[in-house]
């Protein structure tokens, strides 16, 4: 079964750091664009960073200078390094990716999410 699995979330104090990982499992031929989204309580899900297969990145202003996105294509893995975390970064963080699957073609998949909680 093809799926994306996030890990690395947790609870941290303001000013701390976390690194999230997203790994694609299953029969995946390749992965095109990958992205991190987050959803805070009572708010809509928002895009915070994305990365192409070639490594071109886009970081939203809300996290620019604090968060870094990267990926390792050979391991179907994407990372989000989060530094100088603030309470407003508290949210469920989701991985999203465009996957090429055998006999199906390109599909858009989401991970199950990982909780990040930042205390003041």
């Amino acid at each position: 079964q093809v799926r994306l699995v996030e890990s690395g979330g947790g609870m941290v104090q303001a000013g701390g750091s976390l690194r999230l990982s997203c790994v694609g499992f299953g029969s995946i031929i390749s992965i095109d664009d990958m992205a991190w989204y987050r959803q805070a309580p009572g708010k809509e899900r928002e895009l915070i960073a994305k990365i192409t297969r070639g490594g071109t990145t886009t970081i939203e202003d809300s996290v620019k200078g604090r968060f870094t996105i990267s990926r390792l294509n050979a391991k179907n893995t994407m990372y989000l390094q989060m530094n100088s975390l603030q309470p407003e970064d508290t949210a469920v963080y989701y991985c999203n990716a465009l996957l090429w699957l055998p006999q199906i073609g390109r599909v858009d998949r989401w991970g199950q999410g990982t909780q990040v909680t930042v205390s003041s």
Side-chain angles (χ1 to χ4, degrees):
Q1 181 180 0
V2 175
R3 64 193 189 281
L4 298 174
V5 179
E6 302 101 334
S7 63
M11 185 175 294
V12 65
Q13 289 188 332
S17 297
L18 287 173
R19 188 175 84 153
L20 306 183
S21 298
C22 169
V23 182
F25 292 97
S27 298
I28 300 171
I29 298 172
S30 67
I31 303 178
D32 283 350
D33 293 356
M34 303 183 79
W36 288 101
Y37 288 73
R38 68 183 180 186
Q39 187 166 19
K43 296 187 177 181
E44 294 187 353
R45 190 173 299 188
E46 63 170 345
L47 172 68
I48 55 172
K50 57 184 179 181
I51 184 168
T52 67
R53 182 169 179 79
T56 300
T57 62
T58 303
I59 308 291
E60 296 302 307
D61 288 344
S62 58
V63 302
K64 192 172 292 183
R66 300 187 298 121
F67 291 12
T68 303
I69 187 172
S70 60
R71 63 189 286 174
L72 191 58
N73 292 333
K75 295 192 174 182
N76 288 341
T77 301
M78 173 178 65
Y79 304 99
L80 185 69
Q81 178 66 44
M82 306 186 294
N83 298 327
S84 301
L85 283 161
Q86 300 301 317
E88 53 266 33
D89 296 315
T90 295
V92 178
Y93 284 70
Y94 296 91
C95 166
N96 174 259
L98 294 174
L99 311 177
W100 283 98
L101 306 181
Q103 301 180 332
I104 296 175
R106 196 169 77 165
V107 297
D108 187 310
R109 289 289 170 87
W110 291 87
Q112 81 289 352
T114 185
Q115 176 70 46
V116 171
T117 302
V118 185
S119 61
S120 58

